[in-house]
Amino acid sequence: MPTRAEIKAWRSLHRGKGRRETGRFLAEGRRLVGEMLEWPGRTVAVLHADAAEDEPALQTLLARAAARGVRTEAVPEAIVRTLADAATPQPVLAIGEVPAYGWADVDDGMIVMLDGVQDPGNVGVLVRTALALGAAAVIGVGETADPWGPKALRASAGASFRGPVFRTDTGDALERLAGRGIPLWAAAADAPPLEASPSGPVALALGSEAHGVSAPLLAAAARAVSVPLARGVESLNVASAGAILLDRMRTGRPLG
């Protein structure tokens, strides 16, 4: 049984401060826990509701955890509810160490920069979309929500465990891109529609729906691009716009 101190520490992982202080995150549900047991990072513990112990899918997860030497604990359902962030929690969750991804892990290819995207659901969807479309990394700058928060992880459907996903500051990002000779493109509502795919690696900056890409990134951008919209439609959700732009940049199909 986890100690009270452990439960308190794990509960703190709902907040960015708790994740920063401990270097850990909390993932909920069978799918995310299953993904964690496949990734090369460290899974600290798998907790499950004791009432669900005979569930076949859960038994399979626990056997996989045991095979990797991961600590497993049966706990009362009340503790699962205490630790879970989801409104309707599943009977299993896991604690993992936030991977120390950085620029050394970023291979050649498209980089997606999230600039002030504050909704964790949008961050998770963009991580999932970007990595599914072959992006080399997803990097958050500004006030972007933590991709290792529970809501962002759920929205990523485990994609965060498959590629470099990390945060840095705007100045560092611009310096690194310049050092690699990678041009920055910025999504902007008033920009010309994207017409062709880039000829080499590019970083695409996506901003918040309220404020768009920040001034420093816009000033540094070699090009601004947009998704053309039908008359009377003002904007797209950032996750939808990002998915469209990334697909067209990958395939070369023009917009508009």
Side-chain angles (χ1 to χ4, degrees), residues 139-150:
I139 301 171
V141 299
E143 297 299 318
T144 292
D146 183 2
W148 297 98

Side-chain angles (χ1 to χ4, degrees), residues 5 10 13 16 23 34 57 82 108 173 232:
W10 294 340
L13 302 181
T82 295
D108 291 338

Side-chain angles (χ1 to χ4, degrees), residues 51 224 251-252:
T251 64

Side-chain angles (χ1 to χ4, degrees), residues 7 11 27 43 56 85 98 103 109 156 176 217 224 248:
I7 293 171
R11 178 67 179 171
T43 302
D85 176 76
V98 176
W103 289 97
S156 80
R176 298 281 188 161
L217 289 183
R248 298 306 189 266

